[in-house]
Amino acid sequence: MRSYKTAVVANWESYLKNLKVNATVARLTEPHMAGGCLLTQDIEWPVDKHGHPLLHLLTMPAEWVELGAQGWISLFSPYYREDTFLHWEEMTAERENCSVVIYHDNDGGERNEYKEFASSPCKVLIENDIECDSSNNFSSRVCGVVSWLQDEESVAGAECRIMLNGDDFDIAFPDDVGIFSGGVVYVFLNEGFSEKSRPSVQGVMTFQFT
């Protein structure tokens, strides 16, 4: 399997780590948004509270988030074409949250059990920048400083480690523009997630919009 280890540089943790999505079709062994992912059969494809399979949003190396971490993380969200705003209500910190973050090895068979439509995986790249992180930066990034569109949120036993700008999902899901329009997805990973077994559920997402 191809390695996506992050180059070890001085003060790596202080770098601004931007996530860039482009429309180039990716392999599932690469970091990607949309499409399916490589999950082993010993973990079930995540579902919402009604038992509907979740939409795969993003798969990326865990080391992009935490230097030295093994494995990959994959993000899954509810999404319903018959009500394209309902999933926003199912991704809050206050009420029942139906999103799922899976920590795994990205070495299983190709899977995509979401039923409503098919999508092609789009490449995701990481760009390190010596620019300081800022609470006014709402771009997709691994965040040292979280930029909240609304009130600050918290999830018990987890920390917000990734922000995803809604506009980037329009690149990966061109037939469903507006999945997270005008907002930001906040990815909360469980404390000590990188020390946990793989595969396992290690977080949730919330969504805020303007």
Side-chain angles (χ1 to χ4, degrees):
M1 181 187 301
R2 183 176 177 183
S3 173
Y4 281 89
K5 283 189 170 295
T6 304
V8 178
V9 295
N11 301 317
W12 180 87
E13 295 290 351
S14 65
Y15 274 56
L16 181 61
K17 293 172 278 293
N18 297 303
L19 299 175
K20 301 294 185 180
V21 181
N22 66 57
T24 305
V25 175
R27 298 186 298 271
L28 298 189
T29 54
E30 300 175 308
H32 63 280
M33 182 176 282
C37 61
L38 302 179
L39 278 182
T40 56
Q41 292 295 330
D42 55 349
I43 188 166
E44 294 183 357
W45 190 271
V47 297
D48 66 12
K49 60 186 178 183
H50 304 294
H52 301 136
L54 299 185
L55 173 66
H56 168 258
L57 297 180
L58 174 72
T59 291
M60 59 183 259
E63 192 174 42
W64 284 8
V65 179
E66 189 168 302
L67 189 62
Q70 303 297 309
W72 293 58
I73 55 176
S74 291
L75 316 180
F76 301 85
S77 162
Y79 180 67
Y80 316 99
R81 269 187 165 170
E82 68 272 16
D83 186 343
T84 56
F85 300 107
L86 180 60
H87 63 296
W88 296 4
E89 300 174 8
E90 298 181 350
M91 296 176 65
T92 69
E94 294 81 14
R95 298 188 296 276
E96 184 178 9
N97 190 307
C98 293
S99 66
V100 171
V101 178
I102 294 179
Y103 179 44
H104 63 109
D105 285 323
N106 206 46
D107 61 355
E110 180 176 339
R111 294 172 63 186
N112 189 358
E113 298 179 19
Y114 182 75
K115 305 298 184 184
E116 296 204 23
F117 62 86
S119 59
S120 298
C122 293
K123 282 192 175 183
V124 176
L125 305 174
I126 188 168
E127 296 181 356
N128 294 326
D129 194 322
I130 60 173
E131 178 185 350
C132 292
D133 213 342
S134 165
S135 60
N136 294 316
N137 180 2
F138 293 97
S139 62
S140 294
R141 58 191 171 88
V142 176
C143 47
V145 178
V146 183
S147 305
W148 301 103
L149 276 176
Q150 301 176 12
D151 293 338
E152 180 177 347
E153 295 181 306
S154 62
V155 173
E159 180 183 358
C160 182
R161 305 291 295 272
I162 304 166
M163 294 173 51
L164 299 169
N165 188 285
D167 291 343
D168 286 333
F169 292 97
D170 292 346
I171 299 172
F173 297 98
D175 294 331
D176 285 81
V177 171
I179 290 180
F180 294 109
S181 180
V184 174
V185 173
Y186 298 90
V187 182
F188 288 80
L189 297 178
N190 292 353
E191 296 172 358
F193 82 93
S194 63
E195 301 171 2
K196 305 302 183 181
S197 61
R198 304 188 298 273
S200 59
V201 174
Q202 291 297 326
V204 298
M205 294 172 287
T206 65
F207 177 66
Q208 293 185 354
F209 57 93
T210 53

